[in-house]
Amino acid sequence: MSGRLLIIDCNAASRMLLRGRLMEAYYEVETLGDPGDPALPLRAAKADLVVLVAHRPGRGIQDALRRLKSRARCATVPVILAVAAEGPRGEAGFDLGADDVVRLPVSDAVLQVRIRSLIRIKRSFDELHLRDLTVRDLGLDQTGLQEGAARPPLNVLVARGADPAGAADLTARLGACTRLTARLLEREEDLPLRIGGAHRLPALVLRLTEPEAIRTGFRRIAQLRADPATRAMTILALTDPADDATALQALDLGASDFCPVDAPADELTARLVGQDRRRRMMDRLREALAASLRDAVTDPLTGLHNRRFADAHMPRLMARSATDSRPFAVMMLDLDAFKSVNDRFGHAAGDLVLRETALRLSGAVRAVDLVARWGGEEFLVALPGAAEEEATGIAERVRLAVAGTPFALGTAGAPLPITISIGLSVARPGCGADLVGLLAEADAALYAAKRSGRNRVEVAAAA
């Protein structure tokens, strides 16, 4: 996963060394030597993530964190506070607004997995926030990100594991923190019952320090992430400080975060509360959007966004791509000979084909892509950040998803082969393309695909 990083480090040698390490991982990296620079919020707003290095305690780092998190333009940009061995206490960084804290020196693998995780969360949040803005522009009522009443202490379950004494001690230490209520989970198989009762969506702490505990913990993480009822819960893995491999594998399986098992209770609390805060923010935004969009901007037949939403949302997607110097692609899609389906089998069969096409389209594109029913048997897909080669590959995948398997019409007859023609247009970064022109090019390419025999992808010449 590529992205734009901003390193803030007053030590020139350290700054250049870290820059080189991250550039080797194919990140675009900018640097800033003074955390008090007035241009800090503006520079941070253009980044996907900020790495703030603190070599020693001082007001400068605290002020920089406050400035980053108090300015609207960069408040959602995640910040990793990298603390030198002789630097300030790491857990204090969470209270000041840091999204993650690492102790230097840190391995490339650990640093990069933390960067990737935070950038992935930011991009998901940005996409949801863009949709939130679109909903507001459409005049639809929704609650947005308002938290409402004060939250009660976070409920935390500590897995008993293979070390009951250690788990009991950890539970007691966490329970002493005012922001948590901690309970020992005597039997891990009881976890779904706890979640379904009064302790809905607690955070779970797993100690992964012994071979058997690691195997059991990995299996538990995978199970919780596979179950829709527990998929969103916060999971904190505690590992041996020298065991990066276990920590990274826990993240790969779905753990929300990891931390050394000997970390102070204040740091564990800060990580748990921070992860839960992000989860609740994402949940609130998703729920607000779902409630607002369900009827007003959703096609009732296919469940896709309708043209009203696409018309309002695509300019935002295209503007974001232009700001980030990323390409933007549009696909126009039309089912081939669809009228004959209605004529031969009736409109109920035609509706079934449209619904199944929508399912196949949604399954063939990326999570960040916008899929909409444009009208009749015509669909639209907007692909932010997709260059011509990637967009063409996605279009071909979509075509095969429709044409590869005949459609069962629920009648006694054989499944019906259905094909789709696709026109694709791509705006390159800096080309000055406008949305109206891009849609016209995609539409012209669609008709070229029809004229060339249907069931094919045509790329607009201007792409």
Side-chain angles (χ1 to χ4, degrees):
M1 174 189 292
S2 61
R4 295 177 178 176
L5 309 182
L6 174 64
I7 298 172
I8 307 169
D9 189 346
C10 60
N11 184 301
S14 167
R15 186 167 68 245
M16 291 301 101
L17 179 62
L18 182 56
R19 178 176 182 269
R21 290 169 61 186
L22 294 175
M23 288 184 68
E24 287 182 357
Y26 304 104
Y27 290 104
E28 297 178 32
V29 183
E30 294 189 6
T31 62
L32 196 62
D34 180 9
D37 192 315
L40 173 59
L42 182 61
R43 298 277 297 276
K46 299 177 181 178
D48 292 311
L49 181 137
V50 173
V51 181
L52 178 59
V53 182
H55 293 283
R56 56 185 179 275
R59 297 287 304 176
I61 297 298
Q62 298 177 22
D63 291 343
L65 276 169
R66 290 194 181 97
R67 290 168 64 206
L68 287 169
K69 292 303 180 180
S70 63
R71 306 291 179 87
R73 65 175 59 185
C74 58
T76 62
V77 177
V79 179
I80 293 180
L81 179 63
V83 184
E86 66 279 9
R89 291 168 59 246
E91 55 269 26
F94 289 104
D95 293 332
L96 292 171
D99 297 274
D100 204 346
V101 178
V102 298
R103 177 72 66 174
L104 297 175
V106 58
S107 71
D108 285 347
V110 169
L111 179 60
Q112 289 174 22
V113 77
R114 291 194 178 278
I115 288 173
R116 288 197 300 271
S117 177
L118 287 172
I119 289 179
R120 189 178 298 113
I121 292 171
K122 177 186 182 294
R123 288 180 175 172
S124 296
F125 179 83
D126 285 348
E127 172 60 22
L128 286 173
H129 188 56
L130 275 179
R131 298 187 182 203
D132 175 65
L133 292 176
T134 299
V135 165
R136 292 174 184 270
D137 285 349
L138 291 171
L140 303 176
D141 181 38
Q142 47 91 48
T143 57
L145 298 177
Q146 296 301 316
E147 175 78 59
R151 293 285 304 178
L154 173 63
N155 182 28
V156 177
L157 299 176
V158 179
R160 182 175 183 270
D163 181 9
D169 176 68
L170 176 60
T171 304
R173 289 193 293 126
L174 291 176
C177 300
T178 58
R179 292 186 288 176
L180 303 178
T181 59
R183 291 179 173 84
L184 184 64
L185 187 63
E186 293 287 351
R187 299 195 319 157
E188 292 185 38
E189 56 268 28
D190 290 341
L191 184 58
L193 300 178
R194 294 286 190 97
I195 290 175
H199 310 301
R200 180 171 175 80
L201 283 182
L204 176 66
V205 178
L206 296 170
R207 293 161 49 90
L208 308 181
T209 54
E210 303 294 336
E212 181 59 31
I214 292 172
R215 286 192 292 271
T216 303
F218 284 171
R219 183 166 58 250
R220 172 59 65 190
I221 292 170
Q223 289 171 344
L224 292 172
R225 288 296 182 243
D227 187 343
T230 57
R231 185 171 296 157
M233 74 181 299
T234 296
I235 303 173
L236 178 63
L238 304 184
T239 61
D240 189 286
D243 189 2
D244 288 349
T246 295
L248 298 180
Q249 189 168 351
L251 280 188
D252 285 341
L253 289 170
S256 309
D257 197 359
F258 66 89
C259 192
V261 70
D262 57 358
D266 285 347
E267 180 174 351
L268 300 181
T269 299
R271 290 187 179 277
L272 287 166
V273 171
Q275 288 288 339
D276 186 66
R277 182 175 61 249
R278 283 194 288 269
R279 178 189 65 79
R280 286 186 285 106
M281 182 179 293
M282 297 285 281
D283 286 348
R284 287 197 306 276
L285 188 49
R286 287 193 186 98
E287 290 165 4
L289 287 170
S292 301
L293 297 174
R294 188 174 297 116
D295 297 323
V297 293
T298 302
D299 175 58
L301 177 64
T302 64
L304 299 177
H305 290 302
N306 60 18
R307 184 165 181 169
R308 180 188 185 192
F309 180 86
D311 279 337
H313 189 55
M314 277 195 299
R316 293 189 188 279
L317 292 177
M318 192 170 184
R320 172 63 63 84
S321 295
T323 300
D324 294 344
S325 298
R326 303 169 69 205
F328 183 77
V330 173
M331 285 196 294
M332 299 294 292
L333 313 91
D334 188 84
L335 290 171
D336 296 326
F338 180 73
K339 184 176 182 299
S340 67
V341 176
N342 286 329
D343 292 343
R344 292 170 58 196
F345 303 101
H347 287 282
D351 289 349
L352 189 151
V353 168
L354 290 172
R355 285 195 294 268
E356 178 63 20
T357 299
L359 288 174
R360 297 188 188 189
L361 286 181
S362 299
V365 300
R366 306 169 306 173
V368 298
D369 296 333
L370 169 66
V371 184
R373 186 181 179 191
W374 200 242
E377 66 271 25
E378 195 170 13
F379 298 84
L380 173 139
V381 180
L383 304 102
E388 183 175 338
E389 182 178 358
E390 181 181 10
T392 303
I394 295 172
E396 185 63 24
R397 189 165 69 229
V398 166
R399 186 192 67 79
L400 290 173
V402 174
T405 305
F407 285 55
L409 301 183
T411 63
L416 181 68
I418 298 291
T419 63
I420 195 166
S421 297
I422 302 174
L424 173 66
S425 184
V426 184
R428 295 190 180 96
C431 70
D434 66 278
L435 183 58
V436 173
L438 196 66
L439 289 171
E441 291 173 2
D443 203 45
L446 169 61
Y447 282 102
K450 294 283 190 182
R451 289 193 301 269
S452 299
R454 302 175 180 174
N455 189 25
R456 57 185 292 116
V457 176
E458 286 285 347
V459 181

